[in-house]
């Protein structure tokens, strides 16, 4: 779940919980809203944990990288 989906679930849950005053037979919209907000918060936490790990730089060796010097030779004719 991405950040956008998590924010959407949070907003939808808040609308169902706080702004909507409707009743459906057998469904409590306040509870559905709280569940959606909890899923949105959980999605945000999981997304930040996964993205935080993804941005970690892993080095396999402690040795510095070797640099090679490349020189252009002008005394040789270019290929045809």
């Amino acid at each position: 779940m991405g950040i956008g989906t998590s924010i959407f679930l949070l907003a939808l849950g808040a609308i169902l919980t706080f702004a909507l005053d409707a009743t459906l037979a057998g469904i409590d919209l306040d509870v559905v809203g709280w569940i959606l907000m909890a899923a949105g918060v959980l999605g945000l936490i999981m997304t930040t944990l996964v993205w935080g790990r993804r941005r970690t730089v892993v080095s396999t060796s402690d040795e510095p990288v070797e640099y090679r010097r490349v020189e252009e030779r002008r005394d040789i004719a270019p290929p045809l």
Side-chain angles (χ1 to χ4, degrees):
M1 180 181 334
I3 293 175
T5 306
S6 299
I7 292 173
F8 174 75
L9 287 177
L10 277 169
L12 184 62
I15 290 170
L16 288 177
T17 301
F18 303 117
L20 196 61
D21 191 25
T23 57
L24 294 174
I27 297 176
D28 189 2
L29 292 179
D30 287 340
V31 173
V32 172
W34 284 108
I35 291 171
L36 288 175
M37 286 192 291
V41 168
L42 184 65
L44 276 175
I45 292 170
M46 295 300 290
T47 301
T48 55
L49 287 176
V50 169
W51 281 34
R53 287 185 188 152
R54 193 180 294 174
R55 293 180 181 167
T56 304
V57 176
V58 177
S59 178
T60 57
S61 69
D62 294 333
E63 300 173 5
V65 178
E66 272 188 41
Y67 293 100
R68 295 182 187 166
R69 185 172 182 168
V70 178
E71 295 180 8
E72 180 180 0
R73 292 184 62 180
R74 296 190 182 264
D75 60 340
I76 300 175
L80 298 175

